[in-house]
Amino acid sequence: YSLRGISGNDKFVVLLDGMRVSSIVGTPHAISNNYSIANAKRIEVILGPASALYGADAFSGIVNIITREGGDDFNGIEVSTSYGSFNTAENNISLGGKAGEIKYSVNAKYYHSDEPNFSKEYPEEYAWFNNEYQDNGQVRLAPQPFLEDIIVNAPLVEYQTPTDAYFIHGLFNFKNLEVGFMKNFESHNSSVGGRPEYNIYDKDATYGIGVTTFYLKHNFETENQKFGIESTISHGIHDLKPESKFINTFTSYNDGYKYGKENITKVEEQLTWNLKENISIIGGLSFENIDALPKTGDLPFMFDVNMAADLQDIYYLGTNISDQFGNDLTIMQDFYYLNYQNYGSYLQFQGLFNEKIGLTLGGRVDYNTRYGLTINPRAGITYMPTNKLNFKLLYGQAFLAPSPYTAYQHYGSFIPTTDAGGVNGLQGPFWHLPNPDLEPEKLNSIELGSSFNVSENFIISANGYYNIIDNLIVVEGFIGETFQNILIDYVERPVNKGNATTYGFTVRGDYRLYIGKSSINTNLSYSYSDGDIDGKPIPYSAKNTIKGEVSWKFNNFNLSARVINRSSSLHGLVCDTDGNPVEVDGFTLLNLTTSYRLINKDSFKGSVFIKIQNLTNAKYYNPTLGAGELFTGSPQDPIRINLGVRLDI
């Protein structure tokens, strides 16, 4: 995802009822069918830096899913199931209610899809798979320019790239005590997005990530509601499942398993002081203890989670051989076990004066035992000259802590070198190596916005922003280095080198129309986003985006059509012969959802629905994060049609 020109799933935070449910320490994380909004009451989105309150990784924004509370917002059972294209099934169940003084709500989701066969949907892009690999199992050993073009044989398998995901959430309230639990999981094929010359699309080559969160929260408020104390203790687990593996050029087409795990325990105390009706102060202290084993290199066999790494005799791929003289060339894997702490404090003042001027002043101070001290202030002023018109001016700073994944992940493999007598050593075509000395990225942001209620049914809004990012972490390449005392043809590692600016604006209009028994809701927005990184255009972000929606409701019938048009975007690594980033074409997508309520009784409601994604079956592409081994523009889904049933009891 890219928010205001800042790309990366590790640069914003997903919360569920205010508790973090995305990657707990900033590891890039799939945000897809492993989340459910079936029990959502509303979804709050903050665009821009939010580190002043939320700490590390609240860099480009916050998404907070607020769920319905059992007993008050939700009583009963809701079930939905759907099935459609590519053997895609999605099932949701939600239940909520009240038992004595205990309020409860539970939501569960399961998703499976065989996914499209891109070798058939995009035959030109997958010509190597169709014409070379399927005939004789041939692939290329390594992308250029790491080695000369060498053709090798790889395991011959059918094209299968399934996705599986699930989500479980439980929320229980007893008086002032709240207990919450969330677990999600997503597994997708680890070769998707990869060029067929360098990747094997095996159903067992999967990348599976899970997040688990438990928390206890207690709220205390004085009788006069002047003071409130919120006490929270939480524990989060993020793990890359040990069965995850790659079969590609970096593993020399052997099974290359992966593993990684992070645990975080957090204690937080937050105090709210309501000085007057519209004036308050919020302050808090937090402590976090983090244990992490960042994503490993490619492992020759599955990691045993019940055994210490140094007892498993895990070697680097390609090294479990002997040379022509009988010398053992095996090199044992490096594992980077980390333990560190973060101490945080924050304070924020909010006030509304004369019912026209609002002021926010605050900041956060964090000390992290890995990367030191960070200070992040924020300020905002709002002005409402009339009941229909308002303005806001916001300033904020944020920091993005270098995650264990970013600083310590490494991958690659070794191959034997030979002479007339046989094997005489090892060589590494490519390695991505760690950099434990990375410092946090820093963001300064200013935002100006306004909204105007033209009428009761028509609202126009506009927001503009300007961001400056220092200490940007970029991946840099090096020639002729060594790793484990072995010569590596090409090494890359993350470094603090870049400086970036991003700027842009969004203009949006919302209009509601009533015609007899029907209502029509429409919205249309235009966004412009631009900037540079060290003088070069920002990648992974379209300059121009147009979004529109029309929703029509008539009695028991609902119809919603959404369109998105994006201009071209740039790849972050691949350049043309003149050194300019390669451009990936823009696209237009149309999605359609329709439903009809068949049963509409007080105690039982039932409806059928149809969802159509990419209605026009457009062929479109998104830029990838890799270079030679991946497509510059990764082919995206063709038309998908799902038919479903929803029951409310």
Side-chain angles (χ1 to χ4, degrees):
Y1 290 93
S2 182
L3 303 181
R4 294 184 169 181
I6 302 173
S7 60
N9 288 12
D10 56 336
K11 291 181 169 63
F12 68 96
V13 175
V14 180
L15 306 174
L16 186 67
D17 296 321
M19 304 301 298
R20 182 169 182 151
V21 292
S22 56
S23 170
I24 57 177
V25 292
T27 301
H29 179 69
I31 299 176
S32 184
N33 288 291
N34 49 330
Y35 290 89
S36 172
I37 57 172
N39 194 36
K41 183 178 180 180
R42 66 183 184 274
I43 300 175
E44 300 173 344
V45 178
I46 299 174
L47 296 177
S51 288
L53 284 182
Y54 295 99
D57 314 326
F59 197 71
S60 62
I62 293 284
V63 177
N64 189 12
I65 304 168
I66 308 297
T67 62
R68 296 176 295 179
E69 186 178 87
D72 295 333
D73 302 322
F74 179 31
N75 280 284
I77 302 174
E78 296 177 356
V79 179
S80 68
T81 183
S82 66
Y83 181 79
S85 306
F86 317 118
N87 194 31
T88 300
E90 180 175 333
N91 303 288
N92 279 281
I93 182 170
S94 301
L95 58 102
K98 187 175 182 180
E101 294 190 78
I102 299 177
K103 302 175 183 178
Y104 62 89
S105 64
V106 178
N107 174 222
K109 170 185 176 178
Y110 175 73
Y111 175 90
H112 170 82
S113 178
D114 289 345
E115 303 296 355
N117 186 329
F118 283 117
S119 68
K120 295 180 179 179
E121 299 289 343
Y122 291 86
E124 183 177 345
E125 286 78 2
Y126 285 81
W128 182 281
F129 178 89
N130 295 322
N131 302 326
E132 301 291 338
Y133 174 78
Q134 280 197 321
D135 288 344
N136 48 39
Q138 289 187 337
V139 290
R140 285 183 163 133
L141 180 61
Q144 309 306 304
F146 307 139
L147 285 176
E148 60 180 299
D149 191 14
I150 300 174
I151 305 299
V152 298
N153 290 317
L156 188 60
V157 299
E158 295 181 16
Y159 185 103
Q160 297 183 73
T161 59
T163 295
D164 288 281
Y166 64 80
F167 173 92
I168 304 171
H169 173 235
L171 182 65
F172 304 87
N173 298 87
F174 175 72
K175 295 183 178 179
N176 295 326
L177 182 66
E178 180 176 307
V179 180
F181 164 78
M182 191 285 306
K183 184 176 181 65
N184 74 42
F185 169 78
E186 197 266 0
S187 172
H188 60 267
N189 187 267
S190 57
S191 294
V192 167
R195 291 169 56 183
E197 299 97 313
Y198 307 110
N199 293 271
I200 305 300
Y201 307 103
D202 186 354
K203 63 180 177 61
D204 294 326
T206 60
Y207 197 80
I209 297 178
V211 174
T212 305
T213 301
F214 306 86
Y215 74 90
L216 289 171
K217 184 185 294 184
H218 182 267
N219 287 284
F220 169 79
E221 190 174 59
T222 59
E223 290 187 9
N224 60 8
Q225 298 183 336
K226 285 282 187 181
F227 294 95
I229 299 176
E230 183 178 270
S231 306
T232 307
I233 181 170
S234 61
H235 183 70
I237 303 169
H238 175 270
D239 57 341
L240 173 59
K241 302 299 182 182
E243 58 268 24
S244 299
K245 70 177 177 180
F246 289 84
I247 310 175
N248 59 19
T249 175
F250 297 124
T251 68
S252 297
Y253 303 101
N254 298 306
D255 290 350
Y257 289 90
K258 294 286 189 179
Y259 179 65
K261 187 173 184 178
E262 298 102 17
N263 294 274
I264 181 169
T265 301
K266 181 177 180 179
V267 179
E268 182 171 4
E269 288 286 342
Q270 180 174 285
L271 172 66
T272 302
W273 180 19
N274 297 310
L275 286 78
K276 294 183 179 181
E277 182 179 354
N278 295 319
I279 300 176
S280 63
I281 295 176
I282 299 174
L285 299 171
S286 65
F287 168 76
E288 297 166 286
N289 182 74
I290 301 100
D291 291 296
L293 171 60
K295 187 177 81 169
T296 65
D298 295 301
L299 310 180
F301 46 82
M302 194 181 303
F303 189 91
D304 186 344
V305 298
N306 298 312
M307 184 183 297
D310 57 0
L311 299 178
Q312 299 187 45
D313 295 328
I314 300 175
Y315 53 85
Y316 284 112
L317 291 181
T319 69
N320 61 324
I321 59 174
S322 299
D323 65 14
Q324 56 189 297
F325 304 108
N327 299 312
D328 185 7
L329 300 181
T330 302
I331 302 174
M332 305 310 293
Q333 286 255 1
D334 288 335
F335 294 90
Y336 302 95
Y337 285 96
L338 306 176
N339 173 258
Y340 60 100
Q341 293 76 38
N342 191 85
Y343 304 85
S345 62
Y346 55 90
L347 186 67
Q348 179 170 284
F349 169 87
Q350 286 183 310
L352 179 63
F353 308 96
N354 300 323
E355 297 185 352
K356 291 182 178 294
I357 299 176
L359 180 66
T360 300
L361 292 172
R364 182 183 180 102
V365 178
D366 284 89
Y367 176 75
N368 189 286
T369 56
R370 272 186 62 218
Y371 52 80
L373 185 71
T374 56
I375 301 174
N376 296 281
R378 70 179 306 209
I381 186 169
T382 60
Y383 176 56
M384 184 178 293
T386 71
N387 291 333
K388 294 185 176 183
L389 179 65
N390 69 71
F391 299 92
K392 65 178 180 181
L393 177 64
L394 307 175
Y395 169 77
Q397 288 186 3
F399 70 99
L400 180 64
S403 68
Y405 170 97
T406 300
Y408 288 93
Q409 73 150 334
H410 66 298
Y411 54 88
S413 63
F414 295 98
I415 59 175
T417 59
T418 60
D419 58 18
V423 175
N424 62 5
L426 296 171
Q427 175 190 8
F430 166 89
W431 273 90
H432 178 102
L433 297 180
N435 183 0
D437 298 323
L438 289 174
E439 298 178 358
E441 297 175 301
K442 299 178 181 178
L443 169 66
N444 285 273
S445 178
I446 188 168
E447 176 182 349
L448 177 64
S450 179
S451 66
F452 177 54
N453 292 14
V454 180
S455 67
E456 184 178 347
N457 298 326
F458 185 28
I459 300 174
I460 297 176
S461 61
N463 284 275
Y465 63 90
Y466 186 85
N467 298 324
I468 299 175
I469 306 171
D470 298 314
N471 264 358
L472 192 67
I473 297 174
V474 299
V475 175
E476 193 170 55
F478 304 89
I479 301 292
E481 291 202 9
T482 62
F483 175 57
Q484 300 288 351
N485 296 317
I486 304 297
L487 180 65
I488 309 299
D489 292 332
Y490 186 85
V491 164
E492 68 175 28
R493 65 169 60 88
V495 296
N496 288 106
K497 187 175 181 180
N499 294 285
T501 60
T502 70
Y503 50 85
F505 64 87
T506 297
V507 179
R508 173 174 171 140
D510 292 81
Y511 183 70
R512 175 175 293 179
L513 176 66
Y514 296 96
I515 304 175
K517 295 183 179 180
S518 68
S519 63
I520 300 175
N521 293 311
T522 64
N523 64 71
L524 180 65
S525 68
Y526 167 74
S527 296
Y528 176 82
S529 179
D530 203 355
D532 70 88
I533 299 176
D534 292 332
K536 296 182 179 180
I538 56 174
Y540 309 115
S541 179
K543 279 190 177 181
N544 304 287
T545 303
I546 298 173
K547 294 181 181 180
E549 179 181 6
V550 177
S551 297
W552 176 41
K553 182 177 181 180
F554 179 74
N555 290 334
N556 294 324
F557 179 75
N558 289 273
L559 175 67
S560 176
R562 297 181 178 183
V563 64
I564 177 172
N565 172 270
R566 291 189 62 190
S567 63
S568 61
S569 52
L570 300 176
H571 198 280
L573 297 174
V574 181
C575 296
D576 60 23
T577 54
D578 296 325
N580 299 312
V582 171
E583 190 174 275
V584 178
D585 291 338
F587 55 83
T588 300
L589 288 181
L590 177 61
N591 299 323
L592 191 70
T593 302
T594 182
S595 66
Y596 184 77
R597 180 159 289 176
L598 298 172
I599 304 170
N600 192 11
K601 298 180 179 180
D602 291 339
S603 60
F604 184 76
K605 294 179 173 64
S607 58
V608 295
F609 61 87
I610 300 174
K611 294 182 179 180
I612 306 176
Q613 297 172 281
N614 191 4
L615 179 65
T616 62
N617 199 27
K619 303 298 185 196
Y620 69 107
Y621 308 82
N622 279 325
T624 61
L625 291 173
E629 81 282 4
L630 299 181
F631 287 111
T632 302
S634 177
Q636 301 297 301
D637 280 1
I639 184 172
R640 282 180 177 264
I641 303 174
N642 276 51
L643 174 65
V645 178
R646 181 180 295 111
L647 302 175
D648 302 343
I649 303 173

